[in-house]
Amino acid sequence: MSPSPKKYLTIGEQAQLLESRGMELDGNPEQWLKSINYYRLSGYWYTSRRFETTAEGAPSRSDQFQPGTKFSEVAALYELDRKLRSLVHVGLERVEVALRSQVSYVLGRYGPLSYEDKSLFRDAFNHSSWVDKTHERVKRAARRSMFINHHMQNHAGVIPIWVLVDVLDFSDVSMLYDGMRATDQFDVAEGMGIRLRLDRLSHRQRGKAVKHHPFARWLEQLTVVRNISAHHGRLWNRSLVPAATGAMRTIEELESLPPGQSEDLYGALAVIAQILTAAAPDSNWALKVASEVERGFAALPGRDVSEMGFPGDWRDVGVWRA
């Protein structure tokens, strides 16, 4: 076993190390280091480290902190991220349920076992691999699910699509959507509040959209966001799987998405908020997110919402309008 590149430090020594590098130790840092972990917190003070120039002339982060860096502000940024993760988890729970419902509804019109019919999906979709995975999910669920056991015992193990979707992971359903035919993809997306204005697209953009709905790539990104949130990862300034915005920006409420593609958290938050207008019209989720972002960043000197991809006028546009 190779030795660790760094030696073990007590909580007190960790605090002393931060102070020696120029951080002001206010706000009970030892309690934070004990409860959260030095390594996890390092992702929140990373952007406060000074830049230096390497021997090759390239910029690099130094171990030393920028003047005025306070531990209390690092802790406040961590708390903002934690609250955003909690809100994202709540929002994506409703997105996931809505996706399961719409996929099962659209495919269900072809029959209870439509998901096993390869002809209903794209040629490029690895249908057999996906079906094999669903069998594994069903076996896993049978240990704890009364309704799966009911179908196993009373219906010869035949699981209709509207039952199956409830034992699949978000990524499984997203992959199934990606493999669906374009007309079915459009039906699912529109049922979730994603109604493209194809007449606003160029001929080339329209041709791409009608062949493969861009919502598929957004579901891929939301799957990543869900996994980050579920595993308590750093979210606020994460670079995500890019998703094209051209067609999505034809939706009035999503006009504030960046041109070209989106890989910052802002895009994911905006799309979740838009889906909730259809999946949970009485929800105040977008209001809570907007309030948390405004309040959280106001308490952080030198920080700006643009670090998460928010445009300057975000509060007055799209899904964030009061």
Side-chain angles (χ1 to χ4, degrees), residues 193-196 218 245 247-258 266-267 269-275 317-321:
I194 305 297
R195 299 178 180 87
L196 306 182
W218 281 94
T245 60
M248 298 289 276
R249 279 163 53 90
T250 66
I251 301 170
E252 182 180 356
E253 293 81 5
L254 296 179
E255 289 177 337
S256 61
L257 291 176
Y266 174 76
L269 294 176
V271 170
I272 294 170
Q274 174 60 22
I275 293 171
V317 298
V319 292
W320 312 111
R321 293 190 188 98

Side-chain angles (χ1 to χ4, degrees), residues 145-210:
S145 171
M146 292 180 62
F147 64 86
I148 289 294
N149 277 321
H150 169 79
H151 281 79
M152 298 292 283
Q153 295 171 10
N154 298 290
H155 301 285
V158 175
I159 313 294
I161 180 64
W162 48 85
V163 174
L164 178 69
V165 290
D166 275 341
V167 301
L168 298 180
D169 292 343
F170 189 21
S171 60
D172 298 331
V173 186
S174 298
M175 288 174 62
L176 184 62
Y177 176 82
D178 191 31
M180 291 168 66
R181 297 181 300 198
T183 52
D184 293 335
Q185 288 181 335
F186 269 80
D187 287 345
V188 170
E190 290 179 3
M192 296 182 67
I194 305 297
R195 299 178 180 87
L196 306 182
R197 288 290 305 274
L198 297 176
D199 58 306
R200 296 183 179 181
L201 296 173
S202 68
H203 178 74
R204 179 175 172 275
Q205 289 176 316
R206 186 163 55 251
K208 289 182 65 176
V210 297

Side-chain angles (χ1 to χ4, degrees), residues 182-314:
T183 52
D184 293 335
Q185 288 181 335
F186 269 80
D187 287 345
V188 170
E190 290 179 3
M192 296 182 67
I194 305 297
R195 299 178 180 87
L196 306 182
R197 288 290 305 274
L198 297 176
D199 58 306
R200 296 183 179 181
L201 296 173
S202 68
H203 178 74
R204 179 175 172 275
Q205 289 176 316
R206 186 163 55 251
K208 289 182 65 176
V210 297
K211 289 180 181 178
H212 203 147
H213 201 294
F215 189 45
R217 298 285 70 80
W218 281 94
L219 287 176
E220 182 181 6
Q221 184 181 104
L222 293 182
T223 299
V224 172
V225 171
R226 179 196 176 281
N227 290 340
I228 293 172
S229 300
H231 294 93
H232 319 296
R234 176 176 47 83
L235 185 63
W236 70 283
N237 67 343
R238 202 67 165 261
S239 182
L240 305 170
V241 177
T245 60
M248 298 289 276
R249 279 163 53 90
T250 66
I251 301 170
E252 182 180 356
E253 293 81 5
L254 296 179
E255 289 177 337
S256 61
L257 291 176
Q261 66 180 29
S262 176
E263 52 190 67
D264 293 319
L265 182 61
Y266 174 76
L269 294 176
V271 170
I272 294 170
Q274 174 60 22
I275 293 171
L276 293 186
T277 63
D282 294 329
S283 170
N284 62 353
W285 186 87
L287 180 63
K288 289 181 178 179
V289 170
S291 176
E292 198 59 61
V293 168
E294 285 183 319
R295 182 171 59 248
F297 270 86
L300 298 171
R303 294 288 183 191
D304 191 87
V305 293
S306 62
E307 295 175 78
M308 295 193 293
F310 281 67
D313 61 347
W314 71 276

